[in-house]
Amino acid sequence: EPEVTQTPSHQVTQMGQEVILRCVPISNHLYFYWYRQILGQKVEFLVSFYNNEISEKSEIFDDQFSVERPDGSNFTLKIRSTKLEDSAMYFCASSVSLDRGSISNQPQHFGDGTRLSIL
Amino acid sequence: GENVEQHPSTLSVQEGDSAVIKCTYSDSASNYFPWYKQELGKRPQLIIDIRSNVGEKKDQRIAVTLNKTAKHFSLHITETQPEDSAVYFCAGGDNQGGKLIFGQGTELSVKP
């Protein structure tokens, strides 16, 4: 079964440094998402991406965050200047295959996540 | 704003008993309600979902019910097994880009 893959599995970074988290969504999926989960808390929506642009973003997704689809397979999340409170598990998800059509009510498949630790 | 409330936060049952987890949502535009199971340190895995035009859906030992009027939906697990132990998250989604708003999670413990 196709899977969403994320790299690295664990990233340790000094506060103030830039990090890039990478995701390879399921092939022929069209919608991509980033979520984060602070340890012991619920999963929180960050951003959705479709047709090479952001569809929606949450209040968490401020100017320090950006997303990009640099080629036909990768989907990246960049945090420009990391803060201690950015420490969390970051999950990428994708949904909708080309032959499904509408975005409405399509399951989102999650990757294994990247654990980001800011020191 | 959009919010999904989930109860209980922890649930302990004996093997073979049933478990019920309940969620309420605030956004009237929500029309898609998935349930995810998350084992420690792993990804959320979709176990069942329900759409707003359906009141109930069942898949083997797992069932989900939806009351759109009351904005409630529930997960029912029958004949629980120790391997059902995990954190379960409900979520609500809509047609506007598909983002999911998650509940706080329920830590289910099934004692053998």
Side-chain angles (χ1 to χ4, degrees):
Chain A
E1 186 176 326
E3 287 188 345
V4 175
T5 57
Q6 290 185 242
T7 55
S9 56
H10 192 187
Q11 174 81 45
V12 182
T13 302
Q14 290 289 331
M15 186 173 60
Q17 296 296 306
E18 174 183 286
V19 293
I20 297 177
L21 310 183
R22 303 181 191 278
C23 169
V24 178
I26 293 173
S27 167
N28 80 354
H29 276 193
L30 299 178
Y31 286 79
F32 315 117
Y33 309 85
W34 283 101
Y35 293 86
R36 80 170 185 190
Q37 185 178 33
I38 295 171
L39 186 64
Q41 297 186 23
K42 68 178 179 180
V43 178
E44 298 176 289
F45 169 75
L46 292 179
V47 66
S48 58
F49 190 88
Y50 169 71
N51 199 25
N52 286 319
E53 59 182 22
I54 290 174
S55 298
E56 192 170 4
K57 58 185 181 179
S58 71
E59 292 177 351
I60 303 168
F61 195 89
D62 61 23
D63 292 343
Q64 295 299 311
F65 290 86
S66 62
V67 289
E68 197 176 35
R69 188 155 163 83
D71 52 43
S73 60
N74 289 286
F75 178 51
T76 62
L77 174 69
K78 182 194 290 187
I79 309 175
R80 260 181 281 280
S81 179
T82 51
K83 304 186 284 285
L84 293 176
E85 53 265 39
D86 293 328
S87 295
M89 182 73 93
Y90 288 79
F91 290 105
C92 173
S94 69
S95 71
V96 182
S97 44
L98 284 170
D99 57 352
R100 286 293 188 98
S102 172
I103 177 56
S104 62
N105 306 325
Q106 299 301 328
Q108 292 183 26
H109 300 268
F110 282 69
D112 282 330
T114 293
R115 182 171 298 285
L116 178 62
S117 299
I118 307 300
L119 305 179
Chain B
E2 303 151 327
N3 192 37
V4 175
E5 294 287 333
Q6 183 172 348
H7 300 281
S9 56
T10 61
L11 180 59
S12 181
V13 299
Q14 287 295 132
E15 182 177 0
D17 287 350
S18 294
V20 180
I21 303 171
K22 299 182 179 183
C23 288
T24 60
Y25 61 97
S26 61
D27 187 359
S28 299
S30 297
N31 55 15
Y32 174 63
F33 306 94
W35 286 87
Y36 286 83
K37 175 183 179 182
Q38 187 179 32
E39 295 174 355
L40 191 62
K42 298 197 173 178
R43 72 175 79 183
Q45 285 199 301
L46 179 70
I47 56 171
I48 195 167
D49 58 13
I50 190 167
R51 291 161 176 78
S52 59
N53 58 344
V54 175
E56 184 174 354
K57 183 176 176 181
K58 191 173 181 181
D59 182 4
Q60 299 182 347
R61 296 186 298 108
I62 295 173
V64 59
T65 58
L66 170 65
N67 182 331
K68 276 217 79 176
T69 303
K71 296 183 184 173
H72 289 171
F73 58 112
S74 301
L75 177 72
H76 304 250
I77 306 174
T78 57
E79 299 170 31
T80 53
Q81 302 165 3
E83 49 266 39
D84 293 331
S85 296
V87 178
Y88 290 80
F89 289 97
C90 64
D94 60 28
N95 288 352
Q96 307 304 317
K99 75 170 186 284
L100 294 177
I101 303 298
F102 283 80
Q104 296 90 334
T106 296
E107 185 175 0
L108 174 64
S109 175
V110 181
K111 299 186 188 311

